[in-house]
Amino acid sequence: MRPPAPELERLVAAYLASRASAEEVARLAERLRTDAAARDYYLDTAEVHAGLALDESLWAQPAGDRVVPMPKPEPFARARGWKLARLAAAIVACLALGVLWGVKHFSQVARPGIPGAGEPRPAIAVLARAVEAQWGGAASNLQEAAELRVGTLELLRGTAQVDFYSGVRLVLVGPARLEIRSAREAHLERGKATCEVDEQGRGFRLAAPGMEVVDLGTVFGLKALANGQTEVHVIEGKVAVGPTGGRHYTELGKSQAVRRVDNALEAIAFAPNEFPRSADLKRSADAESARRLLAWRDAAAALDRDPAVLVHFAFHEEAADGGGVARNLAQSAARGSDGMVIGARLAEGRWPGKRALEFRGRGDRVLLRVPGAHDSLTVAAWLRVDAYQELVTALLVTEESRRWQGLENGQPPVALAELPYLPLRWELRNDGQLALNWQRADRSAGKGWHIHWADTDLKPGRLGTWTLLATVVDGARREVVHYVNGREVGRRPAMIESPFALTRLCLGNMSSTEAEAKAGIRYGFFGRMDEVIVANRAFGAGEIARLYEIGKP
Amino acid sequence: MPVDDPVQHERFMRLFVEHEREVLRYVLAVVPHLPDARDIVQETAVALWRKMTEYDPTRPFLPWACRFASIEIRRFLRRAEQQRRLLDEQAVEVLLARQEERAASLMTRRAYLRECLEELPPPQRQLVRGYYWEEQDVDALASQTGRSTEAVYKALQRIRQALFECMNRKASLEGAST
């Protein structure tokens, strides 16, 4: 390849990085149309670009005699192999729906766990509680209820409780670094941990630099200091303490404490108060929850005063229980915008004392009417997805009249005195893709929907935690932006053909057509919703981030 | 008409899965942003599925699929026209025509990408890895390496160029020895 002219090199570089301005793209196009050598230069490097982007095996690392693909760093983890059966099911179901978005929804779902584990391994513990915890390393977005596998936890600050399925409970005080080695062994590289072991967990081995403690049915504290010193304090029962890799253990009883100095153990003052117990952590967690609930109430009341907020459900009233009414708290709420709750029941929400609406798929849903036509929209929901039962879960949809009137093909819908509207669907796919799609005005081209999706972390193995999903349609900028837990996860150009008339909204479900019902296709949400917001203004990234900060459990 | 026969349906799935990466490669050559290229391939999958009954199984699948992909590329370009961040249809047409002419030689060279990547000096390899594998954008890479954004995407382009030259060299040596 002859070296290209600097101008061509710069244009191609900018274009392949998706950074070229309109004027640069025009200049590049002109060169490519008229100059054969420029075309070859472009294609040569575009071919390398495609190879680097698509061939994951390039990044493989040798591991013994096998080649193991490197785990892709979060949050971008994306296994790209397609599974035949899922592809088949997806295409059939999607064409039945008239909606198909995101090639990646066919891809294999990444297994959750502490990042660093190269291949999926069984979960051996759960993050039972985290108080003001901030995590470092690849697991920085670790949340309560996350399942843990072999790997390292880096707790930068706060306190966390890890429950091993083998019957051991570790309370970790940050800053700390803990390597989970197996169901019966962990290594505290630095920081403090309290270990509570029941009968089943006897024999659990907790190591620290230079020292190993074998639990003999007890509660003890272990401290690994930055200077390499380690301390053990036996709070209840007894433990066996020995040097790493050694054969001789010393037994320590209740209220005894030792420090390892130069491979020997020396007695030190017993300091049980340095080691928080799981019951202490529960009390702190409850107090933190109560503070958060109060702060959220103030913020929610302010949100209700925003004239752009059309719908605000918080589901904390008794009346919302199955068959009841969910009150729309927005002060500018229109008539009919209270939600008619079908099937869903009240259950515990994000905090103790806060309620949520629990959906169990099937027919469960909330129906409401929202008048007017809107140029921009924000939809947000605090929800906990418990499972995906279907390929597509309807979060909030406007049902086309054919669908909600249960008509078969050929039957004309009943004419209604309401704004004509194009169906809009805010939905979640079973591999965690979030989308806001709306029907095209002209369906004659055979492609029925404008599709705007983003990949999220709500993969099947990562469900069961409270999550804020938000999607903003900005009519002025003509774009759709998706957010998860206050952070942007995708931005797409929006093909807006007319203002959005929401009219008949359905929360947590969508009626199946005859054909879909016959094929067993349903759209029910399976989990809890704690708060739902619909506004006719595009919320900015800062507002969404605040919704998350104030609302996080 | 879409495929109703489950056997034919299964065959389509197999064919498409087998060739999906090549179709994506074809699209990426002119629409370099991976999520956009994936969208186009997805639309292509639906279009192919609808026309599957017209496919002649005695002919190779990939060129047939690429024809559909080129239609979807044009549709995508038309939709994205307002933003003027993608090449126009005419330029894409001449590029795709040239790409088809060169298909065989590209295949030969491609096999050497791994070796050439391994020969890159570590800082260059790290940059490529950050961009393509870790999916960091050029702004993030610029702040990490203390360079300007433009310097980063130019550096990426020079690396691509160097990789291409290396692949070319290895392919011609191999050609000479066989």
Side-chain angles (χ1 to χ4, degrees):
Chain A
M1 192 198 302
R2 278 211 314 267
E7 151 88 332
L8 180 64
E9 182 186 61
R10 195 175 58 77
L11 292 176
V12 176
Y15 186 73
L16 291 183
S18 304
R19 287 305 176 111
S21 66
E23 188 257 330
E24 287 170 327
V25 172
R27 267 192 290 148
L28 177 62
E30 175 62 27
R31 286 289 297 269
L32 295 174
R33 277 194 301 269
T34 56
D35 178 350
R39 283 198 287 278
D40 277 352
Y41 169 73
Y42 173 92
L43 285 172
D44 291 346
T45 51
E47 166 65 16
V48 177
H49 166 73
L52 293 169
L54 297 181
D55 191 351
E56 293 184 0
S57 71
L58 292 174
W59 315 103
Q61 273 197 336
D65 55 351
R66 288 183 314 139
V67 170
V68 179
M70 288 285 288
K72 188 137 185 154
E74 293 292 347
F76 306 107
R78 186 185 305 150
R80 287 171 184 154
W82 285 26
K83 267 196 168 173
L84 205 57
R86 296 191 64 193
L87 171 63
I91 288 198
V92 171
C94 291
L95 289 172
L97 289 175
V99 178
L100 198 140
W101 44 272
V103 168
K104 288 181 294 173
H105 71 258
F106 304 128
S107 61
Q108 291 173 344
V109 171
R111 297 279 300 172
I114 300 174
E119 289 177 354
R121 294 184 182 187
I124 51 180
V126 62
L127 179 65
R129 195 162 273 134
V131 177
E132 293 172 357
Q134 195 185 335
W135 301 95
S140 58
N141 53 2
L142 206 58
Q143 288 188 17
E144 274 186 12
E147 289 203 301
L148 306 174
R149 296 175 167 74
V150 169
T152 301
L153 288 174
E154 174 107 39
L155 180 64
L156 301 177
R157 56 180 291 270
T159 315
Q161 180 181 322
V162 175
D163 287 356
F164 284 76
Y165 299 151
S166 56
V168 173
R169 182 165 281 166
L170 277 185
V171 177
L172 203 57
V173 182
R177 193 176 156 87
L178 180 82
E179 184 195 352
I180 296 177
R181 291 179 170 170
S182 74
R184 301 185 65 78
E185 187 178 359
H187 181 238
L188 182 69
E189 293 173 24
R190 64 165 187 276
K192 274 195 303 188
T194 315
C195 180
E196 299 173 7
V197 179
D198 72 1
E199 261 323 288
Q200 289 183 22
R202 280 177 78 147
F204 184 79
R205 199 174 284 265
L206 182 60
M211 184 193 266
E212 257 180 18
V213 184
V214 180
D215 199 291
L216 305 173
T218 186
V219 179
F220 69 91
L222 184 64
K223 190 151 82 168
L225 300 168
N227 62 8
Q229 287 189 350
T230 46
E231 290 178 13
V232 186
H233 298 246
V234 183
I235 300 165
E236 281 173 23
K238 55 186 178 179
V239 298
V241 181
T244 305
R247 291 181 179 183
H248 302 291
Y249 286 82
T250 307
E251 206 170 286
L252 293 182
K254 186 176 173 177
S255 306
Q256 284 188 297
V258 293
R259 174 190 295 151
R260 188 186 65 92
V261 182
D262 300 332
N263 290 330
L265 296 177
E266 68 174 29
I268 54 167
F270 175 55
N273 295 338
E274 279 198 51
F275 301 96
R277 304 283 299 270
S278 56
D280 301 330
L281 194 60
K282 183 174 183 318
R283 275 194 294 279
S284 312
D286 289 349
E288 197 196 2
S289 291
R291 276 197 304 278
R292 288 197 159 276
L293 176 57
L294 289 175
W296 168 80
R297 277 192 181 150
D298 290 344
L303 188 71
D304 293 338
R305 292 193 291 274
D306 184 339
V309 174
L310 306 173
V311 179
H312 184 202
F313 289 138
F315 306 118
H316 52 202
E317 66 278 10
E318 211 51 67
D321 211 7
V325 173
R327 201 158 68 80
N328 181 359
L329 304 172
Q331 288 185 2
S332 55
R335 253 183 70 213
S337 62
D338 281 345
M340 179 177 162
V341 181
I342 299 175
R345 312 293 305 213
L346 285 179
E348 188 176 82
R350 272 171 285 173
W351 304 282
K354 165 80 180 74
R355 292 199 169 110
L357 207 51
E358 184 172 57
F359 296 75
R360 280 288 172 262
R362 299 281 155 198
D364 294 3
R365 67 193 66 194
V366 177
L367 300 176
L368 63 149
R369 292 173 62 95
V370 177
H374 314 286
D375 294 324
S376 290
L377 283 178
T378 296
V379 285
W382 268 106
L383 45 79
R384 193 187 82 183
V385 184
D386 289 340
Y388 291 121
Q389 296 218 313
E390 311 293 348
L391 180 75
V392 173
T393 295
L395 298 176
L396 189 68
V397 302
T398 53
E399 293 195 310
E400 59 266 46
S401 48
R402 176 167 299 286
R403 194 174 276 281
W404 64 262
Q405 289 180 15
L407 301 172
E408 294 198 46
N409 281 343
Q411 273 183 281
V414 177
L416 291 160
E418 59 190 23
L419 270 179
Y421 61 92
L422 291 174
L424 173 134
R425 294 181 188 167
W426 193 39
E427 17 176 82
L428 202 51
R429 296 192 77 95
N430 63 1
D431 66 349
Q433 281 192 25
L434 174 67
L436 183 69
N437 307 324
W438 53 84
Q439 218 170 55
R440 288 167 191 258
D442 174 17
R443 303 190 66 195
S444 58
K447 291 204 295 183
W449 293 78
H450 289 304
I451 287 153
H452 317 86
W453 60 270
D455 207 7
T456 79
D457 238 9
L458 285 170
K459 312 286 182 202
R462 295 176 188 248
L463 303 179
T465 57
W466 286 105
T467 306
L468 175 69
L469 296 182
T471 299
V472 174
V473 187
D474 190 326
R477 292 187 179 172
R478 301 184 77 79
E479 61 183 10
V480 173
V481 191
H482 296 284
Y483 299 87
V484 176
N485 289 339
R487 287 161 69 169
E488 182 181 322
V489 293
R491 184 179 287 262
R492 306 250 147 194
M495 309 303 280
I496 300 173
E497 296 178 279
S498 59
F500 298 98
L502 300 174
T503 316
R504 293 169 178 279
L505 278 175
C506 184
L507 185 66
N509 216 325
M510 177 165 74
S511 308
S512 303
T513 62
E514 281 270 305
E516 287 163 2
K518 272 184 200 155
I521 297 169
R522 288 169 167 273
Y523 303 97
F525 174 68
F526 205 92
R528 294 180 185 184
M529 289 200 198
D530 180 300
E531 190 176 13
V532 175
I533 299 159
V534 180
N536 63 359
R537 164 172 82 71
F539 279 26
E543 279 177 289
I544 302 285
R546 276 196 297 283
L547 277 183
Y548 172 69
E549 282 306 319
I550 207 77
K552 67 183 179 192
Chain B
M1 280 293 289
V3 184
D4 288 329
D5 172 8
V7 176
Q8 208 181 0
H9 183 228
E10 168 89 10
R11 201 191 55 187
F12 167 72
M13 292 301 167
R14 283 194 188 288
L15 279 170
F16 191 74
V17 169
E18 220 174 283
H19 295 95
E20 181 261 345
R21 186 172 293 226
E22 285 310 305
V23 178
L24 190 51
R25 199 184 279 274
Y26 176 82
V27 176
L28 262 181
V30 288
V31 179
H33 189 50
L34 190 56
D36 290 344
R38 285 184 189 278
D39 282 353
I40 293 169
V41 173
Q42 182 223 303
E43 295 288 350
T44 307
V46 178
L48 285 170
W49 191 76
R50 290 204 167 109
K51 297 283 181 186
M52 192 56 200
T53 48
E54 293 170 21
Y55 171 62
D56 173 0
T58 62
R59 321 265 308 176
F61 183 82
L62 187 61
W64 191 70
C66 285
R67 273 209 303 283
F68 280 80
S70 73
I71 295 168
E72 294 305 327
I73 291 171
R74 285 186 193 106
R75 284 201 180 136
F76 186 87
L77 294 180
R78 263 173 250 147
R79 286 205 298 273
E81 205 172 35
Q82 270 186 334
Q83 291 156 12
R84 293 187 295 151
R85 292 297 168 97
L86 286 169
L87 294 171
D88 57 44
E89 280 190 64
Q90 257 189 315
V92 164
E93 206 152 309
V94 289
L95 279 177
L96 290 180
R98 178 68 183 134
Q99 194 190 16
E100 277 160 34
E101 286 167 19
R102 296 164 24 125
S105 62
L106 287 178
M107 289 286 242
T108 323
R109 278 193 288 260
R110 201 177 286 163
Y112 300 98
L113 180 56
R114 179 193 308 281
E115 280 175 42
C116 292
L117 192 61
E118 279 163 10
E119 288 172 17
L120 280 181
Q124 292 191 1
R125 192 174 147 78
Q126 189 47 42
L127 187 69
V128 177
R129 184 189 170 83
Y131 187 73
Y132 286 102
W133 178 241
E134 291 160 12
E135 294 187 16
Q136 300 192 52
D137 62 19
V138 282
D139 297 318
L141 291 167
S143 67
Q144 277 168 29
T145 54
R147 289 195 267 188
S148 71
T149 306
E150 188 173 323
V152 169
Y153 61 67
K154 272 191 185 165
L156 283 168
Q157 179 62 7
R158 289 205 179 125
I159 296 170
R160 286 189 283 258
Q161 222 168 293
L163 286 171
F164 180 83
E165 279 160 11
C166 166
M167 287 152 68
N168 214 16
R169 198 172 53 243
K170 286 182 188 281
S172 44
L173 283 177
E174 182 77 6
S177 65
T178 51

